[in-house]
Amino acid sequence: VQLQASGGGLVQAGDSLRLSCTVSGDTFSNSAVAWFRQAPGKEREFSAAIRWGGGHTYYEDSVKGRFTISRDKAKSTVYLQMNSLKPEDTAVYFCALDVRGIVTSIRIAGQYDYWGQGTQVTVSS
């Protein structure tokens, strides 16, 4: 399984970006794909996740209402639509896949089996 993240860039506060994560190889019906982010000097933190099969979504409170995660099964791609971006959203964004998709640990980075390479998002004030 390989994940390829793309779509990052430099934007101004209030702007929007859409990140893409293309998954190649096996995808499992119970799996979950998530977006994590890591700002300089900070730990990697959960942003959003989606169950590949049923499409249930999960969000961190700081992005709820601004970010939307979705998936296109035909394209094996997960998207993260980010609206109303803030300078504090600046980070490297990683997509990751958890084969088991256990809901109780969906926010825990250590549970994810495969990771993409990351894409930089910079929001200027």
Side-chain angles (χ1 to χ4, degrees):
V1 177
Q2 292 185 325
L3 289 79
Q4 180 74 36
S6 62
L10 171 63
V11 297
Q12 293 186 332
D15 286 350
S16 299
L17 273 177
R18 188 178 78 161
L19 305 183
S20 299
C21 176
T22 301
V23 182
S24 58
D26 290 333
T27 53
F28 308 93
S29 60
N30 290 328
S31 66
V33 177
W35 287 96
F36 287 79
R37 64 187 185 183
Q38 188 166 19
K42 294 188 177 181
E43 293 187 354
R44 194 168 298 189
E45 64 177 18
F46 172 82
S47 290
I50 187 166
R51 297 289 300 275
W52 190 259
H56 294 93
T57 58
Y58 309 84
Y59 295 96
E60 182 59 33
D61 286 346
S62 61
V63 307
K64 198 175 295 182
R66 300 188 298 123
F67 291 10
T68 302
I69 190 169
S70 62
R71 55 108 168 82
D72 184 330
K73 287 186 175 181
K75 295 182 178 180
S76 293
T77 300
V78 172
Y79 302 100
L80 185 67
Q81 177 66 43
M82 306 185 294
N83 298 329
S84 302
L85 283 162
K86 304 175 181 180
E88 50 264 43
D89 295 318
T90 295
V92 178
Y93 283 71
F94 299 88
C95 59
L97 186 145
D98 174 6
V99 172
R100 295 162 301 280
I102 299 172
V103 173
T104 54
S105 59
I106 208 163
R107 290 173 170 80
I108 300 174
Q111 299 300 312
Y112 285 79
D113 305 287
Y114 303 96
W115 290 82
Q117 84 286 6
T119 184
Q120 176 71 47
V121 173
T122 303
V123 185
S124 64
S125 58

